[in-house]
């Protein structure tokens, strides 16, 4: 939404194509958009033929009706932009190596790609790419972390779209067993598209960032939440018990701990909680490579300016 406001500020007219009816996890985005006063168009086949527009901006270009929209836009000669929301298995290693999901070729259908970091440039040698960071992370970088009086662990359950969902139960059980054996409390933050049955555990109803702020440490598999955690200056552990194919978090550069089994995880949680106030310093090298931050301009503004420059000069 912040990008839209900045685009409006750059002199562009903004409209939204609403796909709520096609994705059950979109959580009433139509209401949110309406509150901001932007025009909304319900998705239908051939929607772009009914609109007068120069460009299409999407968050992914490989799934369902959004993929079809991008293909249609390209065919009509519109400028298409895709924004990476955080982290991604850009070369589909999960499918190629572990048979997880499907071949998606993410961000190879749009004309222009907004990337999180310079690290991700390696996946798009022939694309028009712009390094802009992550809009939702901007405010976290300047926020001072706070910690509860008694350490508490936030567990990120992010087994979505069938990717490694067969590993979820054992992964969650491992983490909860280790945390409780250390005498620590925990809560599980569940991704909206994670459909696992976690009723026997302590599952939070709060927003992820609210839980991140109120707890001590994050334990996660491959997820953009790890970038958010480090940006906020909170410690985290990458629990890679099933050796995920994506390499993004395999080389922490001192920013966080990696655990491969329950014994490793126990040691990692002890280490990270004991060093919880040192994350900002420890994470600098990793974040410099994996998360672009500009003190002068927000990620949203950088995206809006780049779009405006391209669209207004066509």
């Amino acid at each position: 939404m912040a990008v839209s406001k900045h685009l409006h500020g750059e002199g562009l007219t903004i409209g939204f194509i609403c796909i709520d009816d096609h994705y059950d996890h979109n959580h009433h985005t139509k209401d949110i958009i309406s509150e901001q006063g932007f025009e909304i168009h319900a998705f239908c086949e051939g929607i772009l033929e009914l609109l007068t527009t120069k460009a299409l901006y999407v968050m992914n270009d490989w799934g369902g009706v959004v993929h079809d929209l991008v293909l249609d836009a390209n065919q009509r000669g519109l400028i298409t932009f895709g924004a990476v929301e955080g982290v991604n298995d850009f070369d589909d290693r999960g499918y190629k190596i572990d048979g997880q999901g499907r071949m998606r070729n993410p961000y190879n259908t749009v004309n222009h790609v907004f990337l999180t970091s310079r690290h991700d440039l390696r996946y798009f040698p022939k694309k028009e790419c712009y390094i802009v960071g992550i809009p939702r992370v901007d405010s976290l970088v300047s926020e001072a972390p706070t910690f509860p009086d008694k350490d508490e662990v936030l567990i990120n359950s992010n087994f979505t779209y069938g990717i490694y969902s067969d590993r979820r139960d054992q992964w969650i059980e491992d983490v909860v067993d280790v945390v409780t054996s250390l005498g620590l409390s925990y809560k599980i933050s569940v991704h909206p598209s994670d459909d696992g049955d976690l009723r026997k555990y302590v599952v939070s109803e709060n927003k992820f960032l609210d839980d991140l702020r109120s707890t001590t440490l994050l334990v996660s598999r491959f997820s953009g939440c790890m970038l958010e955690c480090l940006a906020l200056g909170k410690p985290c552990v990458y629990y890679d018990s099933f050796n995920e194919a994506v390499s993004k978090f395999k080389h922490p550069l001192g920013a966080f701990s990696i655990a491969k089994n329950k014994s490793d995880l126990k040691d990692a949680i002890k280490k990270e909680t004991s060093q919880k106030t040192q994350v900002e310093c420890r994470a600098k090298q990793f974040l410099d490579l994996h998360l672009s931050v500009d003190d002068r301009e927000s990620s949203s503004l950088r995206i809006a300016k780049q779009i405006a420059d391209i669209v207004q000069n066509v």
Side-chain angles (χ1 to χ4, degrees), residues 46-166:
I47 181 66
L48 293 178
E49 188 174 355
L50 306 176
L51 305 176
T52 302
T53 185
K54 287 186 177 182
L56 178 68
Y57 173 82
V58 299
M59 302 305 284
N60 80 66
D61 67 348
W62 64 86
V65 299
V66 180
H67 177 68
D68 295 339
L69 267 175
V70 175
L71 288 175
D72 189 24
N74 288 340
Q75 188 173 15
R76 295 176 185 278
L78 304 183
I79 307 165
T80 51
F81 301 94
V84 178
E85 299 175 77
V87 298
N88 205 290
D89 181 6
F90 291 114
D91 51 6
D92 290 317
R93 288 175 60 83
Y95 176 78
K96 295 173 183 175
I97 296 174
D98 290 340
Q100 298 289 321
R102 62 181 177 85
M103 283 294 293
R104 303 164 303 136
N105 296 312
Y107 302 102
N108 278 290
T109 306
V110 292
N111 309 139
H112 305 267
V113 185
F114 294 110
L115 296 175
T116 297
S117 67
R118 57 189 173 92
H119 170 272
D120 298 342
L121 278 172
R122 66 189 68 186
Y123 300 105
F124 302 97
K126 298 180 181 179
K127 275 283 180 183
E128 291 290 336
C129 295
Y130 316 93
I131 301 171
V132 297
I134 309 173
R136 70 175 183 271
V137 175
D138 282 336
S139 63
L140 299 180
V141 177
S142 58
E143 185 177 330
T146 58
F147 298 94
D149 293 334
K150 186 176 181 180
D151 288 332
E152 183 176 26
V153 176
L154 178 61
I155 302 170
N156 177 35
S157 184
N158 185 12
F159 294 85
T160 56
Y161 313 115
I163 308 300
Y164 295 115
S165 57
D166 58 327

Side-chain angles (χ1 to χ4, degrees), residues 26-290:
N26 267 36
H27 297 299
H28 310 294
T29 52
K30 186 186 298 184
D31 297 334
I32 299 171
I33 296 167
S34 296
E35 290 173 2
Q36 300 300 320
F38 292 113
E39 190 172 4
I40 304 174
H41 308 276
F43 172 82
C44 65
E45 188 173 349
I47 181 66
L48 293 178
E49 188 174 355
L50 306 176
L51 305 176
T52 302
T53 185
K54 287 186 177 182
L56 178 68
Y57 173 82
V58 299
M59 302 305 284
N60 80 66
D61 67 348
W62 64 86
V65 299
V66 180
H67 177 68
D68 295 339
L69 267 175
V70 175
L71 288 175
D72 189 24
N74 288 340
Q75 188 173 15
R76 295 176 185 278
L78 304 183
I79 307 165
T80 51
F81 301 94
V84 178
E85 299 175 77
V87 298
N88 205 290
D89 181 6
F90 291 114
D91 51 6
D92 290 317
R93 288 175 60 83
Y95 176 78
K96 295 173 183 175
I97 296 174
D98 290 340
Q100 298 289 321
R102 62 181 177 85
M103 283 294 293
R104 303 164 303 136
N105 296 312
Y107 302 102
N108 278 290
T109 306
V110 292
N111 309 139
H112 305 267
V113 185
F114 294 110
L115 296 175
T116 297
S117 67
R118 57 189 173 92
H119 170 272
D120 298 342
L121 278 172
R122 66 189 68 186
Y123 300 105
F124 302 97
K126 298 180 181 179
K127 275 283 180 183
E128 291 290 336
C129 295
Y130 316 93
I131 301 171
V132 297
I134 309 173
R136 70 175 183 271
V137 175
D138 282 336
S139 63
L140 299 180
V141 177
S142 58
E143 185 177 330
T146 58
F147 298 94
D149 293 334
K150 186 176 181 180
D151 288 332
E152 183 176 26
V153 176
L154 178 61
I155 302 170
N156 177 35
S157 184
N158 185 12
F159 294 85
T160 56
Y161 313 115
I163 308 300
Y164 295 115
S165 57
D166 58 327
R167 317 293 175 89
R168 179 199 299 109
D169 292 350
Q170 187 62 60
W171 190 94
I172 293 289
E173 183 179 319
D174 282 359
V175 181
V176 172
D177 281 352
V178 169
V179 171
T180 54
S181 75
L182 289 169
L184 299 174
S185 60
Y186 75 90
K187 62 179 71 171
I188 301 176
S189 180
V190 183
H191 187 285
S193 295
D194 186 327
D195 59 2
D197 183 359
L198 302 178
R199 286 175 293 180
K200 67 179 180 179
Y201 299 111
V202 181
V203 176
S204 175
E205 298 293 330
N206 303 324
K207 294 180 180 179
F208 171 78
L209 286 180
D210 290 338
D211 282 332
L212 185 62
R213 290 184 174 99
S214 67
T215 52
T216 305
L217 173 143
L218 174 71
V219 178
S220 181
R221 61 169 291 262
F222 174 79
S223 170
C225 291
M226 290 185 62
L227 293 180
E228 294 174 81
C229 183
L230 294 172
L232 183 57
K234 293 267 183 136
C236 60
V237 176
Y238 175 41
Y239 186 42
D240 189 22
S241 59
F242 46 89
N243 193 27
E244 295 187 78
V246 189
S247 62
K248 179 78 171 178
F249 296 109
K250 302 286 188 179
H251 307 285
L253 303 176
F256 54 89
S257 295
I258 298 176
K260 293 285 191 180
N261 52 55
K262 292 173 70 173
S263 178
D264 288 349
L265 182 59
K266 191 171 188 176
D267 291 340
I269 292 175
K270 287 180 179 179
K271 173 189 171 183
E272 292 297 333
T273 52
S274 70
Q275 300 179 7
K276 61 189 175 186
T277 61
Q278 302 171 22
V279 174
E280 182 178 358
C281 180
R282 289 169 47 207
K284 188 177 187 309
Q285 186 181 2
F286 183 86
L287 291 179
D288 283 348
L289 179 61
H290 291 277

